[in-house]
Amino acid sequence: MSRPRIHPLQALFGAHEHRPDLPVCDHYAGVEPRMRKALALQADMADTALFDVTLDLEDGAPVGGEPEHARLAAELVSSAANRHGRVGVRVHPYPHPSFADDVRSLLAGAGERLAYLMIPKAQGVEELRDAIAAIEATRREQGLARAVPVHALVETHGALRDVQAIAALPAIESLSFGLMDFVSAHHGAIPAFGMSLAGQFSHPLVLRAKLEISAACHAAGKLPSHCVVTEYSDTQAIAQAATRASRELGYARMWSIHPNQIRPIVEAFAPVPAEIEAALDILLAAQAADWAPIAHRGLLQDRASYRYHWHVLERAARTGRSLPDTARSAFFATAAA
C-alpha cells in the first residue's frame, strides 16, 4: 500500500517562513471612471485576481471632497464589482486630517472585504506604529472581527532608515518604493533623470533604496513591491523594468498606473516555460522520494533547491500560467494542511 504524497508546504516549510500570497501586479486608480474600469478589468481578465486594484484616496480625492471620495471607495470595495476580493485602498498619510476619516469610512463600509490599507509617506517606524494602532482602534470601534493587512510606502529618508524595523511589523504585508517622492525628498541632489526608466535602475541613491527595501522584506517574510514606470504608454519600457525588478532586484510585485501596464507586468513576473518544466520535474521526483535528496540530470537536489522550485510553481500559478494536470493534481488540487 503506497503512502500518501506529502505536499511541499508540509515537507519544506515551517510556520515562520510563511509569506503573503499576493498578485504580482498592484494597479492604482484614483478617479471614479478609472476605479470602475479597473474593477471591471480585474473581474474580466481571469477567474482569479491576476492583479490587485488599489483605489487611491491620497492623490485621487479632490481637495474638499475627501469624505465623499472615501465613501465612494468603500462602496466600490463592498460592491459586486469587487469580484475577487482583491481591492485595497491608499489612504491619506497618518498626520493628514483625513486619515482617521478615511479609515473609519472604509472599515465601517467595507471592512469585511477590504484587501489592505496602503499608508503613504510614513516618516519612520514610530509613525507607522501609531498609524497601525489607530487602524486597530478603529477596527475594534467598528466591531470588525478580521484584522486588515497594512501595506506601506517607503518614500522618505526616515522610512528608508527604519526599513528593517518597518518590514518586521506584524501588521505589514508588503512594502512599496515611492520613487517620485523619494527623488523629490533629495531637493534636487538626485536629478529628474532618477525618475526615468534608465535613471531609476542606475542612479546609486535610487538603486540603494530599492535594494534595501527588497532585502528588508525578504528578511521579514514580506513582499517588496516595485515602483511606478512613468513612461506609461511604452509597453516595452514597462516590460523591461518589470523584468529587471523581478530578476535583478528581487521584487515580488510591481505597481501599474495605466491598464496598458498590467499585462506586461504579469508576464514579466511569471516564470518562463523552461523554469516551470524544470521545477515540476524536480518536485515530482522529490515528492516520490519523500523529499530526500535526489540526483536530477547530474545535479544534486535537496530541500534547499526544492524550496526554490516550489516558489517557481507558486509564481506560475499566481500569474495564471498553464500548468499540466500532473502539477495541478499533485500540488494545487487541495489546500495543504
Side-chain angles (χ1 to χ4, degrees):
M1 183 176 178
S2 62
R3 288 182 292 178
R5 294 180 300 185
I6 302 172
H7 193 276
L9 291 180
Q10 296 169 310
L12 304 180
F13 298 101
H16 65 286
E17 293 182 272
H18 171 74
R19 296 201 322 161
D21 183 15
L22 304 179
V24 299
C25 181
D26 184 7
H27 179 66
Y28 272 67
V31 298
E32 183 173 356
R34 292 174 186 166
M35 290 176 170
R36 295 188 183 278
K37 181 178 181 180
L39 289 175
L41 183 60
Q42 185 195 53
D44 292 343
M45 186 173 283
D47 292 334
T48 59
L50 288 184
F51 64 95
D52 279 343
V53 173
T54 300
L55 307 180
D56 189 0
L57 302 187
E58 183 193 20
D59 291 338
V63 176
E66 291 88 354
E68 293 79 11
H69 206 62
R71 287 194 292 270
L72 170 64
E75 290 170 8
L76 291 174
V77 171
S78 62
S79 72
N82 180 10
R83 176 182 168 191
H84 300 305
R86 290 304 312 171
V87 181
V89 180
R90 176 164 70 168
V91 296
H92 286 83
Y94 174 65
H96 193 282
S98 292
F99 174 87
D101 290 339
D102 287 349
V103 172
R104 186 171 294 106
S105 293
L106 292 165
L107 297 192
E112 293 294 345
R113 303 208 66 208
L114 187 63
Y116 50 87
L117 289 172
M118 168 64 80
I119 301 177
K121 295 183 176 59
Q123 297 301 312
V125 66
E126 291 305 323
E127 183 177 293
L128 199 51
R129 281 199 184 102
D130 290 344
I132 291 169
I135 293 169
E136 176 62 16
T138 305
R139 182 188 70 81
R140 293 195 300 267
E141 170 194 299
Q142 296 296 324
L144 184 64
R146 65 180 288 262
V148 177
V150 173
H151 298 190
L153 269 157
V154 177
E155 51 191 338
T156 66
H157 296 297
L160 185 61
R161 177 198 63 222
D162 295 345
V163 69
Q164 295 277 349
I166 289 172
L169 292 173
I172 292 291
E173 191 174 61
S174 174
L175 295 182
S176 296
F177 177 47
L179 169 68
M180 299 174 78
D181 281 283
F182 180 78
V183 171
S184 296
H186 285 75
H187 299 280
I190 300 176
F193 170 74
M195 293 184 281
S196 69
L197 175 63
Q200 66 166 284
F201 283 96
S202 62
H203 193 284
L205 288 174
V206 177
L207 194 56
R208 164 194 168 240
K210 289 186 181 185
L211 291 171
E212 290 199 15
I213 293 165
S214 178
C217 283
H218 287 295
K222 312 299 171 67
L223 296 188
S225 186
H226 194 265
C227 60
V228 299
V229 169
T230 56
E231 296 92 338
Y232 64 85
S233 61
D234 186 344
T235 55
Q236 288 188 334
I238 189 68
Q240 177 186 344
T243 300
R244 296 192 67 182
S246 172
R247 300 280 173 167
E248 297 177 17
L249 306 184
Y251 277 78
R253 69 197 236 132
M254 184 169 176
W255 283 32
S256 159
I257 55 172
H258 190 280
N260 289 344
Q261 294 184 324
I262 295 170
R263 181 61 72 180
I265 290 172
V266 173
E267 294 297 320
F269 274 77
V272 300
E275 290 177 307
I276 298 172
E277 181 181 357
L280 181 57
D281 286 349
I282 289 168
L283 291 174
L284 287 173
Q287 190 180 56
D290 291 329
W291 304 101
I294 62 170
H296 182 268
R297 298 184 179 178
L299 297 175
L300 171 69
Q301 303 287 343
D302 61 13
R303 294 197 186 194
S305 58
Y306 299 158
R307 283 193 289 269
Y308 168 82
H309 292 295
W310 172 243
H311 290 314
V312 170
L313 276 195
E314 281 189 314
R315 190 156 39 94
R318 193 178 303 123
T319 52
R321 302 302 92 176
S322 177
L323 295 175
D325 290 342
T326 50
R328 294 286 178 191
S329 61
F331 304 124
F332 298 105
T334 58

